[in-house]
Amino acid sequence: MDRFSELRAFVDVVEAGSFSGAARETGQSRSSVNRLVIALEERLGVQLLHRTTRSVSTNSNGRALYERAKQILSDLEEVELSVTAARRVPVGKLRISAPHSFGDLDFSDIVAGFLKQYPQVQIEISFENRLIDPVTEGYDLVIRVAEPDEETLLVDHRIMTLDYLLCASPAYLKEHGVPKTAECLKEHHGLSLLQSEQSGFWGLLGPDGPVKVKVRPVLRANTMDALLKAATEGLGIAVLPEYAIRSDLEAGRLEKLLSSYQLPSRMLQVIYPPARHLSANVQAFSDFVSDWCSR
């Protein structure tokens, strides 16, 4: 028997809660559905379902197989659709992992814009700062900010280079003074991201070469939004990406500091397992993020 047919029948039975329900949903006979599930259990050598006269439920083996089977069938469907010219419209679930810092600022606008353009897609987003393995954790794609030359074994869609700036509010600078050199930063209040190499030290490239300055963070947070709010409220000096503070610089709520120094840039990337490169959902979202950032 076709192994995919067995898996489909098993998933249909679990989701319908009975063999007769699965048969009605799929237009098959109850005996055909039952025969496919029995063949699957015999081939695997384990029982997958608890059966009663009225309903069925999964045991531990069945629950484990159900999640994997759904993903396998979803992948198969996407591969089939990807080579069918008439069906390139993204549809179905898209699981995304992104850093906490993308939970605010513009990322919500990107997701909203994508869903308006592709209303048949359902997005699940998890915001985490830890390093995510999309293969083992079941994500379709991962948004991450990494070193420009950092390599990965996954498919790496590089979106844009992020330039970082030192900034503070006019009120803070009026009270604490404007730092003239990197060494002066030691005397100031720092605002830093948690779980960042910049949290305890700020590395800069100045007129005389690289310099590493130990800072006194009065606030460490895991979102850029919290640091941006603290900076505009005059609580200290922050290192933030230029795109995130552009409007505040233009409005005079923040001022750029130490223009003769440069901070290390980072790369905004969309990464995903090689098996997902045919996914219409993944390709559409990657392209949408790229187009949004270019605008």
Side-chain angles (χ1 to χ4, degrees):
M1 287 187 180
D2 179 7
R3 292 188 177 189
F4 288 115
S5 296
E6 295 173 358
L7 288 177
R8 284 195 183 96
F10 170 69
V11 169
D12 290 338
V13 169
V14 173
E15 293 182 344
S18 67
F19 286 92
S20 57
R24 285 194 300 270
E25 291 291 331
T26 61
Q28 302 179 75
S29 67
R30 185 185 185 285
S31 60
S32 295
V33 175
N34 189 43
R35 189 162 55 249
L36 286 167
V37 174
I38 290 174
L40 176 62
E41 289 180 318
E42 289 179 348
R43 182 164 56 80
L44 297 178
V46 294
Q47 184 177 342
L48 302 171
L49 300 171
H50 294 302
R51 296 164 169 83
T52 70
T53 55
R54 293 178 177 270
S55 65
V56 296
S57 60
T58 55
N59 57 25
S60 58
N61 293 324
R63 285 190 293 274
L65 179 63
Y66 171 69
E67 295 299 331
R68 296 299 299 272
K70 278 205 309 181
Q71 185 63 57
I72 290 169
L73 294 173
S74 176
D75 291 345
L76 177 63
E77 181 182 8
E78 288 191 357
V79 169
E80 291 173 343
L81 292 177
S82 70
V83 295
T84 304
R87 289 293 307 275
R88 284 299 295 168
V89 178
V91 60
K93 187 178 293 184
L94 181 64
R95 294 194 69 222
I96 300 171
S97 173
H100 271 295
S101 56
F102 280 72
D104 27 60
L105 303 174
D106 292 337
F107 193 68
S108 58
D109 294 333
I110 292 176
V111 172
F114 181 82
L115 289 175
K116 287 179 181 178
Q117 185 167 332
Y118 301 106
Q120 297 184 71
V121 176
Q122 301 91 46
I123 290 180
E124 292 183 4
I125 306 177
S126 176
F127 294 104
E128 299 184 76
N129 283 339
R130 64 186 179 87
L131 189 62
I132 298 294
D133 181 353
V135 177
T136 59
E137 298 187 51
Y139 287 101
D140 296 301
L141 61 86
V142 174
I143 308 290
R144 73 169 187 171
V145 177
E147 300 291 341
D149 57 352
E150 186 174 330
E151 297 295 331
T152 175
L153 296 177
L154 304 175
V155 178
D156 179 359
H157 188 164
R158 301 195 168 202
I159 304 298
M160 65 182 294
T161 300
L162 301 178
D163 295 320
Y164 285 74
L165 303 176
L166 284 161
C167 61
S169 71
Y172 174 85
L173 298 174
K174 183 178 180 179
E175 180 178 353
H176 298 276
V178 178
K180 302 298 183 183
T181 68
E183 289 298 317
C184 295
L185 295 173
K186 296 178 180 178
E187 308 303 321
H188 285 269
H189 299 166
L191 308 171
S192 300
L193 279 173
L194 278 171
Q195 298 178 333
S196 166
E197 70 281 0
Q198 294 278 5
S199 62
F201 292 87
W202 287 346
L204 301 92
L205 181 61
D208 300 320
V211 57
K212 195 172 185 179
V213 181
K214 184 174 178 60
V215 296
R216 293 184 298 142
V218 296
L219 173 66
R220 300 174 67 214
N222 62 1
T223 70
M224 286 191 297
D225 190 52
L227 299 185
L228 180 57
K229 178 70 173 176
T232 56
E233 291 293 327
L235 299 182
I237 296 175
V239 174
L240 290 167
E242 187 272 339
Y243 82 86
I245 61 173
R246 188 176 302 149
S247 61
D248 292 288
L249 292 173
E250 292 171 352
R253 291 185 292 269
L254 291 175
E255 293 183 16
K256 178 182 176 181
L257 305 176
L258 299 177
S259 298
S260 60
Y261 290 80
Q262 288 183 329
L263 288 154
S265 61
R266 308 295 294 274
M267 182 64 65
L268 176 63
Q269 300 171 302
V270 175
I271 62 172
Y272 46 87
R276 308 301 290 164
H277 80 283
L278 291 176
S279 166
N281 291 355
V282 169
Q283 287 296 331
F285 191 82
S286 299
D287 292 341
F288 193 89
V289 173
S290 183
D291 290 344
W292 181 282
C293 290
S294 68
R295 293 196 300 269

